Amino acid sequence: AMPKPNEPVETEWLDTVTAQIKAATPPIILVGHSLGGLAVLRWLEICAKEPIQGAILLAGVTMPERHTKRSFSKNWSPPEDWGQIRRAAKHLNGLYSLDDTAVETLEGEQFQSRIGADILWVNGYGHFTTSDGVTEIPELLQLIETLIQLAK
């Protein structure tokens, strides 16, 4: 879990990701949901020392400036060096639901157009939360398994 999820601070979240990665065994695959997607992008952009195996954004925020009604919108920086993000992960994937009311499809489209991320578009998952009735995401599990296999 990330620190202060209701009042997220970018530097604290990036420090948390760094600590988790230092404790992990390769292959490293980051999965970020919603604001966690932005944390993954920002970590790849400013903290990555060497390429990781993969990053998956699950309804990932890529444009914090579009979320003006949410507390993080003024405290988080949008990704700027998309080239560095591309270099920091061997594989970049996104999983977005067409009926998500929290993160617009435009954010997945930006992730795809800026760095050529592979996006899987699904429908019926909303924002991928239990309040949307989502308790399993087999497409996410398949993406993770594929990235693990590609590392071998």
Side-chain angles (χ1 to χ4, degrees):
M2 295 304 235
K4 297 190 248 176
N6 294 326
E7 293 292 330
V9 177
E10 182 176 14
T11 55
E12 292 176 8
W13 279 36
L14 297 182
D15 289 346
T16 299
V17 173
T18 298
Q20 292 296 316
I21 287 174
K22 284 181 181 177
T25 303
I28 305 298
I29 300 166
L30 296 178
V31 179
H33 173 252
S34 196
L35 181 59
L38 181 58
V40 166
L41 293 176
R42 294 290 291 150
W43 187 89
L44 292 170
E45 181 179 21
I46 62 178
C47 300
K49 303 293 185 225
E50 59 186 50
I52 63 168
Q53 177 62 16
I56 302 170
L57 302 191
L58 180 65
V61 170
T62 62
M63 305 161 73
E65 66 278 8
R66 294 187 66 82
H67 297 267
T68 56
K69 294 181 181 174
R70 298 179 68 190
S71 63
F72 68 82
S73 67
K74 293 180 178 72
N75 302 325
W76 284 67
S77 300
E80 293 177 8
D81 189 347
W82 291 94
Q84 169 56 30
I85 295 168
R86 174 70 264 172
R87 290 186 297 276
K90 295 174 185 171
H91 303 278
L92 292 163
N93 298 84
L95 181 56
Y96 288 83
S97 186
L98 297 171
D99 63 336
D100 190 337
T101 59
V103 174
E104 299 174 72
T105 57
L106 179 63
E107 300 201 53
E109 292 165 0
Q110 173 174 275
F111 185 40
Q112 186 174 43
S113 67
R114 292 282 183 125
I115 52 178
D118 292 323
I119 305 295
L120 178 58
W121 300 99
V122 295
N123 203 5
Y125 284 88
H127 194 54
F128 299 93
T129 63
T130 55
S131 61
D132 292 315
V134 177
T135 57
E136 295 181 354
I137 309 169
E139 296 88 348
L140 177 61
L141 181 59
Q142 180 61 53
L143 274 172
I144 294 168
E145 289 173 344
T146 298
L147 293 179
I148 291 170
Q149 287 302 314
L150 288 171
K152 293 181 179 182

